[in-house]
Amino acid sequence: MTTRSDVVALHRQHVWPPYTSAEDHAEKEPLVIVRAEGSYLEDHNGKRYIDGNGSWWTNPLGHGHPRLLRALREQAAELVHCASSQITTPQTAMLAAELVAIAPKGLTRVHFSDDGSTAVEVAIKTAFQYWQQNGRPNRTRFVSLAGAFHGDTLGAVSVGGVPAFQSIFAPLVFDVIHAPVPDPDGFEMAVSAIEAMLKAKGDEIAAVIVEPLIQGAAGMRMWSHELLVRLRTATRAADTFLIADEVFTGYGRTGTMWACEQANITPDLLCTAKCFSGGMFPMAATLSTERIYDGFRGGSSRALMHGHTFSGNPLGAAIAREVLAIYRDEKVLAQIARKRIRIANAFDKISELSGVRRTRTLGMVGACDLGDSGYAGKRGWDVYNAALSRGVFLRPLGDTVYITPHFTMSDDTLDELLAVVADSISKSTR
Ligand SMILES: *Cc1c(COP(=O)(O)O)cnc(C)c1O
């Protein structure tokens, strides 16, 4: 096998990693991960780390779940991919039906794509095209929340509201109304502003897009289901669309299958990715209502002009179906209902540590801030280093330290993860 230093040298010379300055890329030691199993990542020296980050929020069932590996192998032997506009496959069709069966009631149509960003692009373009060809061509603008993260392709960046991801591209992105969230708890003001704006000029708005209940990349900022209900009511009153970006919040992350369930609402469009394909395969879906689908009838000039080469591929579909089967058989949502209490209790204790502020938990997310610099902050990285030396991988968002573990982590491992988080925070804030 190539040595660790060979790998790092090749990495430094040729890989261009995301969100990394050239200087950090040249100087900071990357982890070299060679395998993973269950809750653990393993590096080149055989050292194991609890994956407290859930592999960038994608991993619901742990690494290498035997049933997912079997689904992958069996489907790979049958059919991996074929063009998907005139052709369908059993896996693709059955996945669509299974997804509709568990989605918020009223979402009946599924457009497959590759990742969270593309799922958001599809939602944006669907909403826009719908109004263009259904008698409301003035509805061209989108509304989102400051601090929103909806992906890194240009449409997703346009509706995004994290300056770090957006400001350099300002001349390229389209015009979006970002409702200001004045402080981490300022969502009430943002929603009131959207309500007023929809009353005044709702007929210019194509859709309001939000991450329901938790803004992930903004620093795990949490907001209440009551406010989500208010957004649903206000978008209905203005007869405009509500897009729920559940790429992070879906599949139980917030405690229920969909965050929207906690508000008992159905959005007009819902985006899913990340846990959707078990954290092992790039695959995403955008769900919409029958009303929206009906707005695309009337000939080829009215078809949704959007597609991706690997759209709905049967390999990803087989894995995504097996994820749902495991959710049923292993009662994953019931497991979450128990584990989230462990997380909440541990973060209650963490809130008492010096230097810790704004401790918050929802479902399988626990977070706290160690400073006020947000994404630009560095305090979380001290905790990252302290945790890494104790065998835990956390990936902070600047000053925000959080965990997003997989949902089937054993109680013992979860307790160990939580203890290391607390310990690493107290060591690094001293
Ligand atoms: C991660 C994320 C995305 C983007 O997903 P990718 O798979 O990285 O393209 C979009 N929306 C939300 C809420 C996310 O957390």
Side-chain angles (χ1 to χ4, degrees):
M1 194 160 45
T2 35
T3 65
R4 183 183 187 286
S5 56
D6 291 341
V7 173
V8 172
L10 292 173
H11 170 75
R12 288 198 169 132
Q13 206 165 0
H14 296 299
V15 177
W16 192 329
Y19 312 123
T20 306
S21 74
E23 291 70 30
D24 280 356
H25 184 43
E27 286 153 26
K28 289 209 173 140
E29 276 301 308
L31 275 176
V32 178
I33 297 298
V34 293
R35 66 177 63 81
E37 190 186 0
S39 305
Y40 291 89
L41 305 168
E42 187 182 316
D43 75 8
H44 205 275
N45 300 321
K47 182 170 157 88
R48 304 208 311 161
Y49 305 87
I50 298 175
D51 186 359
N53 174 259
S55 289
W56 249 348
W57 320 344
T58 63
N59 196 310
L61 303 169
H63 292 278
H65 193 294
R67 285 182 59 178
L68 294 183
L69 295 179
R70 193 188 335 130
L72 177 100
R73 271 196 309 271
E74 288 179 0
Q75 186 57 41
E78 293 288 326
L79 174 66
V80 171
H81 170 61
C82 55
S84 64
S85 59
Q86 279 74 34
I87 299 174
T88 189
T89 76
Q91 298 291 12
T92 314
M94 286 190 282
L95 172 60
E98 288 165 8
L99 206 49
V100 164
I102 58 156
K105 198 168 160 38
L107 296 171
T108 52
R109 300 283 174 167
V110 183
H111 185 102
F112 291 109
S113 61
D114 306 332
D115 50 45
S117 304
T118 56
V120 168
E121 297 287 339
V122 171
I124 292 170
K125 288 174 76 175
T126 303
F128 185 88
Q129 188 175 338
Y130 178 92
W131 296 120
Q132 288 303 303
Q133 60 196 27
N134 287 283
R136 309 299 286 271
N138 293 335
R139 295 195 163 201
T140 57
R141 303 187 78 190
F142 288 82
V143 177
S144 71
L145 293 173
F149 180 79
H150 296 294
D152 279 341
T153 54
L154 278 174
V157 167
S158 300
V159 290
V162 182
F165 297 101
Q166 207 200 28
S167 45
I168 189 76
F169 299 112
L172 290 182
V173 300
F174 55 77
D175 175 32
V176 168
I177 303 167
H178 297 283
V181 181
D183 62 69
D185 307 310
F187 286 94
E188 210 280 332
M189 271 180 73
V191 169
S192 296
I194 293 176
E195 286 169 336
M197 197 261 308
L198 286 174
K199 273 212 183 90
K201 47 184 173 184
D203 56 359
E204 295 170 22
I205 305 303
V208 176
I209 178 169
V210 293
E211 296 155 89
L213 306 190
I214 308 183
Q215 287 188 318
M220 299 298 158
R221 298 202 297 188
M222 299 182 186
W223 55 293
S224 75
H225 60 91
E226 286 93 352
L227 294 177
L228 186 55
V229 173
R230 278 171 54 182
L231 281 182
R232 177 69 282 189
T233 306
T235 45
R236 277 255 155 75
D239 188 32
T240 193
F241 294 142
L242 178 65
I243 302 172
D245 176 355
E246 295 239 21
V247 168
F248 170 55
T249 55
Y251 274 69
R253 181 60 69 190
T254 67
T256 45
M257 188 68 185
W258 308 104
C260 284
E261 281 172 34
Q262 295 181 42
N264 202 11
I265 61 148
T266 297
D268 300 283
L269 293 141
L270 182 148
C271 309
T272 182
K274 292 199 168 123
C275 291
F276 171 56
S277 46
M280 71 188 294
F281 200 82
M283 178 97 175
T286 306
L287 282 69
S288 55
T289 60
E290 210 58 21
R291 173 196 178 184
I292 291 179
Y293 188 80
D294 284 344
F296 290 76
R297 295 183 194 277
S300 57
S301 67
R302 291 170 61 88
L304 177 63
M305 287 312 287
H306 189 100
H308 293 277
T309 307
F310 287 100
S311 177
N313 71 83
L315 185 57
I319 295 166
R321 289 189 64 215
E322 194 66 9
V323 169
L324 291 175
I326 296 169
Y327 268 59
R328 292 191 294 270
D329 296 343
E330 295 186 10
K331 303 198 169 35
V332 171
L333 292 175
Q335 292 193 49
I336 292 170
R338 290 196 309 274
K339 284 175 202 167
R340 69 187 179 85
I341 296 168
R342 279 188 132 72
I343 294 175
N345 289 342
F347 272 82
D348 268 353
K349 296 217 182 74
I350 287 172
S351 72
E352 291 161 12
L353 299 174
S354 80
V356 170
R357 55 192 95 165
R358 283 191 295 277
T359 305
R360 55 212 180 264
T361 62
L362 183 67
M364 293 296 282
V365 182
C368 64
D369 296 347
L370 304 179
D372 288 318
S373 304
Y375 195 80
K378 299 258 182 274
R379 298 222 168 98
W381 292 101
D382 297 335
V383 178
Y384 166 87
N385 286 318
L388 205 61
S389 68
R390 291 170 176 76
V392 165
F393 178 76
L394 303 172
R395 191 180 182 283
L397 289 156
D399 281 345
T400 300
V401 173
Y402 68 89
I403 59 161
T404 46
H406 73 89
F407 309 144
T408 53
M409 188 174 273
S410 74
D411 288 350
D412 286 350
T413 308
L414 184 57
D415 288 348
E416 190 186 336
L417 167 64
L418 289 161
V420 171
V421 171
D423 194 41
S424 304
I425 289 174
S426 54
K427 294 255 159 46
S428 51
T429 53
R430 256 215 293 266

